[in-house]
Amino acid sequence: MTDTSHIRNFSIVAHIDHGKSTLADRLIQVCGGLTEREMKEQVLDSMDIERERGITVKAQTVRLDYTADNGETYELNLIDTPGHVDFAYEVNRSLAAVEGSLLVVDAAQGVEAQTLANVYQAIDNNHEIVPVLNKIDLPAAEPDRVKQQIEDVIGLDASDSLEISAKTGIGIKELLEAIVHRLPAPKGDANAPLKALLVDSWYDAYLGVIVLVRIIDGKLKKGMRIKLMSTDANYLVDRVGVFRPKQEMVGELGPGEIGFLTAAIKEVADTRVGDTVTEEKRECVKALPGFKPAQPVVFAGFFPVDTAEFEDLRDAMGKLRLNDASFSFEMETSAALGFGFRCGFLGLLHLEIIRDRLEREFNIELITTAPSVIYHINLTKGDMLELHNPADMPEPHYIDTIEEPWIKATILVPDEYLGAILKLCEDRRGRQIELTYAGSRAMVVYALPLNEVVFDFYDRLKSVTRGYASFDYQMVGYEPGDLVRMQILVNDEPVDALATIVHRGRAEQRGRVMCEKLKDLIPRHMFKIPIQAAIGGRIIARETISALRKDVTAKCYGGDATRKRKLLDKQKEGKKKMRQFGRVEIPQDAFISALKMDEN
């Protein structure tokens, strides 16, 4: 057990791509956590998808030993956090487990939207913050401008910020000294009853659930009986260890240390993140203030392309759920797509990553329905329903009001693209809250309905600003809106997988686009097919797919015109009958293309 005055716990917070994972690699390398041969890029990003997209999805932790210039050896516990807005809850809980943060800012790009969001979370957790300017070796680096920006935008004193290059190793030694001398040591009483914060948990095929804990008071030893305070479940600790970044077993963990335990826990769902771990016999008096559980904000349906793969999909989702407690799913059926699942996600990136992992790790081809958000429906009887799926919406005469979720979006954008951003936000029913400047960049804060953001807002934002805007949002609550359910009818039959909830003012435009799209996607049949968008009983848009025709008059040459007329009328009757009894087959790829939101 290490003396607490020689422990430093810190996390790295930054915007996407400002070099968090590279800095973590360099610190591991300098402190000798891995040999040269074992080093690879992004050591802590273990998932294929993380390495491929160059993003961090799961927060990872590592313990390093560092001998400072004063000859003392310090134990450094580093947590590498994700930078993307969808994984903000991972950042939140990592920050609760440490006392200090390195604020990493790209010396060429400067402060971005998520830099702000993450640094404010660190300030809320009373962290000591050390500003670090990374990528100092780039020709475009402007350290003085960025220091000024940190002071103007965030309000932190940047005069003693460190200038480093995580890639080449410039300034890493000075950074380690700053961690030791400028970050506070943890406090804790080794003789008090055990009190530990459950930071994360994931599933291992051999050991069961591995639980990452930060010890606040007391000691955690192998063979101890522990209790999880939120579920009152008791377990016997099998092993206790730390990550350096490889697993290494230790005898015990003391106050201020971060490590892991295994205790034959079967399901990750049993270990709630933010829970307090204590001794079964000597309980701590008060549980730690847990942090808010991750709330899914975006919902979409996942259906297997091949219906025979339904059970495989269920198993695959169960396995992903083991490692990602923020992903939730329940079964649903659809007349058009068969059996599938309604899944909840933290955002669109989260949805993409889960979908990619299902297709890549489990080889299941999926159809994803249009993403939607949770609506609150106040019924005339006075009850309130939570609506996840537009197909389940009650009839209009039972509904008093519909409320939709709103977010507060912060967008940082270079001056020349400001007009395009304002137009985009106004088109999406946004309300401007404030507009300020930090140097040559504008910071726009808008209130926006989440429904308008989940479709393709992020893609549009990136395309109108050529990728220069950065975007961060938080939920602010529900507001009543004039919302209606738009259904798509193909040959007079509603297709439930294409039903969406839209704002009444936007319904006509969206319905027209959807009908035009389906007209191109559905193959022609022997009879003509009407495609209609409807709100209740009112048709708001229509397209018609013309019928395939056979020339029935080919065998008539000359003779009376009534012979031709008779054949054509007979054909017409046949078409009418066909349309009455014929079924329109909508091919799977038509669904997938129709559900991908268009560019307009």
Side-chain angles (χ1 to χ4, degrees):
M1 193 177 85
T2 317
D3 170 19
T4 51
S5 65
H6 284 165
I7 300 176
R8 297 289 181 271
N9 298 325
F10 64 99
S11 65
I12 305 179
V13 294
H15 187 75
I16 313 154
D17 278 346
H18 281 200
K20 290 184 298 299
S21 298
T22 313
L23 178 57
D25 290 354
R26 211 48 63 240
L27 293 174
I28 291 169
Q29 192 178 7
V30 172
C31 295
L34 291 172
T35 61
E36 288 297 326
R37 203 185 77 204
E38 293 167 319
M39 277 308 288
K40 55 181 180 183
E41 297 282 305
Q42 295 170 300
V43 176
L44 296 179
D45 289 349
S46 47
M47 280 191 264
D48 290 346
I49 196 157
E50 289 185 313
R51 309 183 69 81
E52 192 173 291
R53 287 176 172 233
I55 56 176
T56 304
V57 173
K58 294 287 286 175
Q60 301 284 1
T61 150
V62 59
R63 175 193 283 198
L64 303 168
D65 291 327
Y66 171 64
T67 307
D69 289 346
N70 59 11
E72 306 261 347
T73 299
Y74 291 86
E75 174 190 305
L76 309 180
N77 290 306
L78 151 70
I79 298 187
D80 179 24
T81 58
H84 200 281
V85 55
D86 284 9
F87 305 108
Y89 83 104
E90 288 267 354
V91 178
N92 185 5
R93 65 192 195 192
S94 307
L95 295 178
V98 295
E99 286 82 32
S101 294
L102 300 183
L103 167 66
V104 176
V105 182
D106 184 324
Q109 289 184 335
V111 177
E112 300 275 352
Q114 254 118 13
T115 318
L116 282 173
N118 292 344
V119 82
Y120 288 146
Q121 276 194 345
I123 293 168
D124 289 345
N125 280 304
N126 300 324
H127 278 198
E128 183 63 41
I129 295 169
V130 176
V132 178
L133 304 186
N134 188 19
K135 308 194 187 179
I136 206 76
D137 55 326
L138 291 182
E142 300 176 72
D144 297 335
R145 179 182 68 84
V146 174
K147 279 182 191 174
Q148 192 57 46
Q149 213 179 7
I150 292 174
E151 292 188 357
D152 295 346
V153 181
I154 303 173
L156 279 177
D157 176 20
S159 55
D160 53 356
S161 54
L162 297 153
E163 299 185 8
I164 67 159
S165 160
K167 195 169 179 185
T168 58
I170 301 169
I172 297 295
K173 184 84 180 119
E174 290 75 7
L175 175 62
L176 285 161
E177 286 295 316
I179 290 169
V180 167
H181 297 301
R182 283 165 62 179
L183 295 184
K187 298 180 180 65
D189 178 1
N191 301 316
L194 172 68
K195 184 189 221 175
L197 173 71
L198 198 156
V199 182
D200 199 359
S201 55
W202 59 94
Y203 191 75
D204 180 289
Y206 300 106
L207 304 171
V209 177
I210 296 179
V211 180
L212 185 68
V213 289
R214 153 72 203 269
I215 312 289
I216 308 290
D217 290 325
K219 293 175 190 160
L220 177 69
K221 298 179 187 149
K222 184 179 167 180
M224 205 171 180
R225 284 201 72 83
I226 54 165
K227 173 178 176 181
L228 301 180
M229 289 181 89
S230 71
T231 53
D232 270 349
N234 299 328
Y235 300 101
L236 179 70
V237 178
D238 293 337
R239 53 181 70 196
V240 174
V242 294
F243 291 104
R244 292 179 180 270
K246 296 192 296 240
Q247 287 184 14
E248 184 179 296
M249 298 308 151
V250 294
E252 62 176 21
L253 291 172
E257 296 194 284
I258 295 177
F260 69 88
L261 67 95
T262 61
I265 303 171
K266 302 281 187 300
E267 293 221 358
V268 172
D270 301 338
T271 54
R272 295 195 189 149
V273 166
D275 197 356
T276 308
V277 182
T278 186
E279 268 175 85
E280 187 185 3
K281 297 282 184 280
R282 290 172 62 197
E283 281 191 34
C284 60
V285 188
K286 195 164 144 235
L288 293 158
F291 20 75
K292 301 188 283 290
Q295 290 293 336
V297 272
V298 176
F299 285 82
F302 279 178
F303 294 88
V305 170
D306 175 3
T307 44
E309 288 185 336
F310 174 71
E311 282 303 325
D312 300 345
L313 179 60
R314 186 198 297 247
D315 291 348
M317 286 188 164
K319 284 179 182 154
L320 279 187
R321 175 97 177 82
L322 284 176
N323 275 346
D324 187 350
S326 55
F327 162 58
S328 56
F329 62 90
E330 56 190 41
M331 209 178 118
E332 74 166 348
T333 55
S334 147
L337 303 171
F339 287 103
F341 293 93
R342 189 95 195 145
C343 310
F345 307 95
L346 299 170
L348 287 185
L349 179 74
H350 191 205
L351 183 153
E352 267 183 53
I353 283 179
I354 295 279
R355 190 184 62 208
D356 283 3
R357 287 184 68 187
L358 285 170
E359 292 186 340
R360 177 180 306 187
E361 294 172 27
F362 303 97
N363 294 329
I364 297 171
E365 276 191 69
L366 293 174
I367 296 171
T368 313
T369 65
S372 75
V373 297
I374 307 177
Y375 297 95
H376 287 172
I377 296 193
N378 298 310
L379 301 175
T380 43
K381 298 189 302 217
D383 301 355
M384 196 270 287
L385 274 181
E386 281 201 350
L387 181 75
H388 294 195
N389 188 349
D392 303 334
M393 188 160 162
E395 291 302 314
H397 54 268
Y398 292 122
I399 298 173
D400 184 21
T401 54
I402 303 178
E403 296 182 349
E404 59 178 338
W406 280 65
I407 61 169
K408 184 173 134 193
T410 308
I411 302 168
L412 277 164
V413 59
D415 204 14
E416 63 263 35
Y417 303 115
L418 183 61
I421 290 288
L422 297 180
K423 181 178 183 307
L424 176 68
C425 293
E426 293 296 329
D427 287 351
R428 299 301 169 99
R429 306 191 282 137
R431 292 196 304 263
Q432 189 174 323
I433 299 172
E434 62 176 307
L435 170 60
T436 50
Y437 275 87
S440 64
R441 294 166 68 204
M443 182 168 119
V444 196
V445 181
Y446 257 91
L448 286 160
L450 184 62
N451 164 3
E452 299 285 345
V453 176
V454 297
F455 278 115
D456 55 348
F457 182 79
Y458 196 63
D459 301 341
R460 301 285 309 136
L461 178 84
K462 286 294 186 203
S463 64
V464 298
T465 61
R466 305 204 181 146
Y468 281 113
S470 64
F471 166 68
D472 182 64
Y473 68 84
Q474 67 222 53
M475 296 286 294
V476 286
Y478 278 77
E479 289 185 21
D482 185 9
L483 302 167
V484 288
R485 177 174 63 176
M486 182 176 78
Q487 283 197 310
I488 301 291
L489 310 173
V490 175
N491 201 14
D492 298 337
E493 292 201 1
V495 181
D496 58 352
L498 298 175
T500 49
I501 291 181
V502 291
H503 189 265
R504 198 183 294 273
R506 311 280 306 274
E508 214 161 294
Q509 171 203 359
R510 204 166 263 183
R512 202 172 298 128
V513 168
M514 203 70 157
C515 291
E516 284 169 7
K517 223 166 171 186
L518 284 169
K519 183 184 178 186
D520 300 338
L521 293 166
I522 297 175
R524 288 167 67 184
H525 286 52
M526 294 302 291
F527 47 93
K528 71 173 188 226
I529 305 168
I531 299 171
Q532 295 157 315
I535 293 175
R538 190 167 71 89
I539 303 296
I540 54 170
R542 167 173 173 144
E543 292 285 335
T544 308
I545 300 175
S546 53
L548 290 167
R549 293 192 57 174
K550 179 182 169 192
D551 186 1
V552 286
T553 58
K555 60 177 188 259
C556 298
Y557 45 93
D560 195 354
T562 50
R563 284 183 60 202
K564 281 188 178 177
R565 190 71 267 141
K566 191 170 153 193
L567 286 167
L568 287 167
D569 286 347
K570 196 172 167 188
Q571 182 187 33
K572 203 167 164 187
E573 283 300 308
K575 294 269 181 218
K576 199 166 157 189
K577 201 166 181 181
M578 259 174 157
R579 197 192 143 202
Q580 213 172 340
F581 299 109
R583 289 195 51 89
V584 178
E585 290 300 321
I586 305 179
Q588 297 287 28
D589 52 349
F591 267 115
I592 298 170
S593 309
L595 293 171
K596 278 196 179 127
M597 276 310 285
D598 54 314
E599 300 310 292
N600 327 354

